[in-house]
Amino acid sequence: MELTDKLLIAWKRIKKDRRTDFIIGDFEYDVFDNYKDELLDDLKEKIIKEGVDYSPKSLRNIRVPKTSYTTRPGSIPSIPDRIYYQYLTDEIAHEIEAKLLPVENKIVHSYRYSSSRNSEDMFLFKEASYTTFEEKTLELSKAFNFVVVTDISSYFERIYHHNLENALRGLGATHEIVQALMNLIRKWNKGNSYSIPQGIWPSDYLGNVYLDPIDKFMMRTGHNYCRYVDDIRFGVDSYADAQKILLTLEENLSLIGLTLNDAKTKIIKSEQIEDELFPYKSRIDEIKQNILLEIEEKVTYNPYSEDFEYDEDYYDQLSKVDLSSARELFLEQLELDYPNPSIARFCLKQFKKYRDQEVLEDVLNNLDRLVVVTPRVVDYLKNIYKSIDNKKIISQSVARYIENDTKYDWQLMWLLQLLNEFTEIEKDDIQSVRKIIMSPKGNLHDAVLVSALLFLGKHGDSADGEWILNQYEINHSSWVRETILYAIRNMPVTKRNHYYNYCIGQDKFLDKIISFVKMKYQ
């Protein structure tokens, strides 16, 4: 397969992978896709010219909230750099996957390579997943007296580049590809010997490879062990065995610069596994079953129609499905100090699918308690917005919250993106965003600034457009400058194009944004 074809596959893969990105960048992907042939050719020339000394742009980083008020880093490379990272990792995965523990062993359940160089999916999502990991955990609980549950502290931040390189070379990956990959990662880290970007497919795969020596050690020494990314579980028959294996595991992890998370390490009696790890499993199973029965009874559709699922009558019928048990579970979570993210995601997914308006007020009043599941909240609110009569209740509630109560840039970015998609926006809502973006308190995170610029460019007035335009000359990142050129698309065409003429030639991708806007917004 030629390099051109490999880069195209990498592009297709990141288009799928980006659905779960920590940082939003929709318009850039639209622009890149429109000019992909030319831009991929440019990337190919850069790769050939620079070789292993490929020079990337800086990563876009943001802190992503977790439970207990902690955060983790989320990172996104620029699109060309991400394609290059995907391509290099694809090359390595295709060479070494067969040398990792087989999927059939049911030991490693995370991010197993599809072994297809042509597939848009990098991984086997059915054969290895968090679901299969949970199933294996239940198998261990039936075969042993205890199950040990643990995970690795700050895993992706503590991946040591030298050890990763040794692992890849030891598995037989091509020298030049490994060298190019490691140089890319080191340049992103600006001399820091630790950490790989978290939250994208290539890093997910490399994270699996990094623990390959641990996987093989645990298997070859006869330990009944399974893993999903950095979550580790194994079965034992006594506390003494559990302590002995944990000590051995810690010793081996220390050799590659890692430690176990003591707060999340437990030795659980097998009969308590479901209560400890899956306390809501029976209720969720019951909810799912009740919903299926309700659908069979109340929902009809034309099986010969390809687009029946988008039919409003179909949605009308879905809205009649009884979700009282899901609502009860959701409201119980909102009463807890730390709502369970998995349960909240499950409930919000059902509320979105069946356009359940009864929990709308509860969601809007608890945005501060649903921070960790903000993308699910956004999905739910988007869907409800389409069907609700009083649309202002959503936009106004979100606008007031982002003006007064948001603590995390990541959540603010998502909620601004949500507001940007609404069609009915009040002047007060726009003013709430102006207060954020024009605040004298200090510099905004780029992700927040970008989302706010896009919002004001779409919903603001001519004065907002002028203000956005003036920001271009300020010392902003390339990401913000790209956004500014896209955000002014609704300005009077003559004025906008006159400014574009001034900007043309500064950067290839900026030129493509200008061409894209001129084509789409005459």
Side-chain angles (χ1 to χ4, degrees):
M1 185 185 291
E2 297 293 326
L3 177 57
T4 300
D5 300 319
K6 291 177 178 179
L7 293 177
L8 180 58
I9 290 296
W11 165 243
K12 290 178 179 178
R13 286 180 173 176
I14 70 169
K15 282 204 296 179
K16 296 198 77 170
D17 179 25
R18 67 175 293 266
R19 296 171 187 172
T20 55
D21 280 358
F22 289 132
I23 299 176
I24 306 165
D26 291 343
F27 80 89
E28 297 166 284
Y29 283 83
D30 292 338
V31 172
F32 197 98
D33 204 34
N34 194 74
Y35 301 103
K36 65 179 179 297
D37 293 337
E38 183 180 348
L39 293 171
L40 287 174
D41 281 343
D42 290 345
L43 176 59
K44 176 183 174 182
E45 289 179 16
K46 177 179 171 69
I47 293 169
I48 292 172
K49 180 181 178 181
E50 298 183 3
V52 296
D53 294 321
Y54 179 98
S55 178
K57 291 184 177 180
S58 297
L59 292 170
R60 298 172 185 175
N61 299 304
I62 198 166
R63 300 301 303 188
V64 182
K66 300 196 299 183
T67 52
S68 304
Y69 310 111
T70 60
T71 63
R72 58 177 168 171
S75 301
I76 297 293
S78 70
I79 294 177
D81 296 345
R82 186 173 183 177
I83 294 171
Y84 183 51
Y85 188 35
Q86 182 72 53
Y87 150 71
L88 293 173
T89 308
D90 288 344
E91 290 288 278
I92 288 170
H94 201 66
E95 289 183 316
I96 71 172
E97 178 66 20
K99 298 176 184 177
L100 305 180
L101 293 182
V103 177
E104 304 79 58
N105 283 20
K106 297 183 179 180
I107 292 174
V108 181
H109 295 260
S110 49
Y111 303 111
R112 303 310 306 267
Y113 184 59
S114 66
S115 299
S116 170
R117 202 64 186 75
N118 295 303
S119 171
E120 293 181 11
D121 282 319
M122 184 181 183
F123 301 117
L124 301 170
F125 291 108
K126 292 183 179 178
E127 295 87 342
S129 65
Y130 198 79
T131 298
T132 65
F133 179 60
E134 290 183 332
E135 290 170 352
K136 180 63 178 179
T137 303
L138 290 173
E139 287 180 22
L140 291 174
S141 71
K142 292 171 183 174
F144 297 91
N145 294 330
F146 301 90
V147 174
V148 179
V149 176
T150 188
D151 75 4
I152 298 170
S153 294
S154 305
Y155 179 52
F156 285 91
E157 298 110 289
R158 302 310 303 164
I159 289 179
Y160 182 40
H161 299 160
H162 183 67
N163 288 336
L164 176 60
E165 182 174 0
N166 286 344
L168 296 173
R169 294 192 191 283
L171 289 164
T174 301
H175 172 80
E176 291 77 15
I177 295 292
V178 173
Q179 186 180 0
L181 175 70
M182 299 314 303
N183 283 351
L184 176 67
I185 291 172
R186 285 169 180 142
K187 286 180 179 179
W188 275 333
N189 282 274
K190 296 178 172 58
N192 191 333
S193 299
Y194 294 87
S195 181
I196 62 176
Q198 190 171 346
I200 51 181
W201 280 357
S203 296
D204 293 333
Y205 187 77
L206 296 176
N208 256 0
V209 174
Y210 195 75
L211 290 175
D212 179 63
I214 305 297
D215 299 331
K216 288 173 178 172
F217 171 81
M218 295 294 283
M219 182 199 71
R220 290 167 183 169
T221 50
H223 301 310
N224 296 279
Y225 154 97
C226 62
R227 175 174 67 80
Y228 184 90
V229 193
D230 61 328
D231 286 338
I232 293 171
R233 295 169 186 172
F234 54 88
V236 292
D237 281 325
S238 69
Y239 270 99
D241 287 343
Q243 292 168 323
K244 187 186 303 181
I245 296 171
L246 278 170
L247 177 60
T248 302
L249 179 59
E250 284 186 296
E251 289 170 345
N252 279 271
L253 286 171
S254 69
L255 298 176
I256 53 174
L258 302 174
T259 58
L260 292 179
N261 186 332
D262 57 350
K264 293 186 178 181
T265 301
K266 300 178 181 179
I267 303 171
I268 304 172
K269 292 181 179 180
S270 291
E271 60 267 25
Q272 296 173 349
I273 277 293
E274 289 207 33
D275 290 338
E276 284 275 344
L277 298 183
F278 318 114
Y280 299 97
K281 185 177 184 302
S282 59
R283 287 185 69 180
I284 287 177
D285 288 344
E286 183 180 351
I287 290 169
K288 288 179 178 177
Q289 186 59 35
N290 288 341
I291 288 173
L292 287 175
L293 292 173
E294 286 272 330
I295 289 174
E296 287 179 10
E297 180 182 336
K298 296 181 178 177
V299 179
T300 60
Y301 60 89
N302 178 1
Y304 301 104
S305 170
E306 292 183 359
D307 61 350
F308 75 87
E309 62 201 43
Y310 303 108
D311 184 272
E312 283 303 316
D313 181 57
Y314 174 72
Y315 278 126
D316 235 20
Q317 295 176 72
L318 282 183
S319 68
K320 295 180 175 63
V321 171
D322 182 9
L323 295 177
S324 56
S325 54
R327 290 187 207 111
E328 182 182 350
L329 178 58
F330 183 65
L331 295 177
E332 284 177 18
Q333 288 299 309
L334 293 179
E335 294 295 321
L336 301 177
D337 290 338
Y338 303 113
N340 184 306
S342 297
I343 304 305
R345 288 188 190 98
F346 166 76
C347 292
L348 287 164
K349 183 178 179 181
Q350 310 313 311
F351 302 149
K352 171 199 170 184
K353 183 175 182 179
Y354 301 105
R355 292 192 176 180
D356 183 44
Q357 297 181 23
E358 290 197 31
V359 295
L360 176 59
E361 188 174 341
D362 298 298
V363 171
L364 292 173
N365 289 338
N366 287 279
L367 293 174
D368 59 331
R369 300 182 54 69
L370 295 168
V371 172
V372 177
V373 294
T374 296
R376 283 287 189 203
V377 170
V378 167
D379 284 345
Y380 165 71
L381 293 176
K382 280 182 187 177
N383 223 29
I384 291 297
Y385 188 85
K386 296 172 185 176
S387 56
I388 196 171
D389 292 328
N390 182 15
K391 299 182 187 299
K392 295 177 185 177
I393 189 175
I394 300 180
S395 58
Q396 290 176 346
S397 295
V398 172
R400 295 301 84 72
Y401 176 77
I402 65 173
E403 181 183 346
N404 300 310
D405 299 314
T406 1
K407 308 298 188 299
Y408 299 96
D409 290 329
W410 182 76
Q411 186 186 37
L412 183 52
M413 170 195 71
W414 273 103
L415 294 179
L416 284 167
Q417 188 264 355
L418 172 67
L419 282 179
N420 192 39
E421 296 201 12
F422 291 163
T423 53
E424 297 181 19
I425 297 291
E426 298 293 295
K427 290 182 180 179
D428 286 347
D429 303 339
I430 299 172
Q431 185 59 23
S432 294
V433 178
R434 288 193 188 107
K435 287 181 180 178
I436 293 169
I437 198 172
M438 300 176 187
S439 169
K441 293 180 181 178
N443 293 329
L444 287 177
H445 190 287
D446 273 1
V448 174
L449 179 56
V450 161
S451 297
L453 286 168
L454 291 171
F455 174 86
L456 282 184
K458 180 177 179 180
H459 297 286
D461 57 24
S462 58
D464 291 318
E466 292 290 342
W467 185 85
I468 292 170
L469 200 61
N470 292 333
Q471 296 304 299
Y472 192 81
E473 299 303 324
I474 297 174
N475 187 25
H476 286 306
S477 69
S478 59
W479 182 21
V480 174
R481 289 166 71 86
E482 290 166 4
T483 303
I484 289 169
L485 291 186
Y486 185 76
I488 63 171
R489 64 193 181 280
N490 292 322
M491 289 184 74
V493 173
T494 302
K495 181 176 179 61
R496 181 199 71 191
N497 289 351
H498 177 75
Y499 194 80
Y500 280 166
N501 290 337
Y502 162 75
C503 298
I504 287 174
Q506 297 178 16
D507 177 271
K508 183 65 175 283
F509 193 63
L510 289 177
D511 290 351
K512 293 306 178 189
I513 292 172
I514 291 170
S515 297
F516 184 80
V517 170
K518 286 183 175 180
M519 175 186 67
K520 297 278 285 187
Y521 302 92
Q522 298 293 338

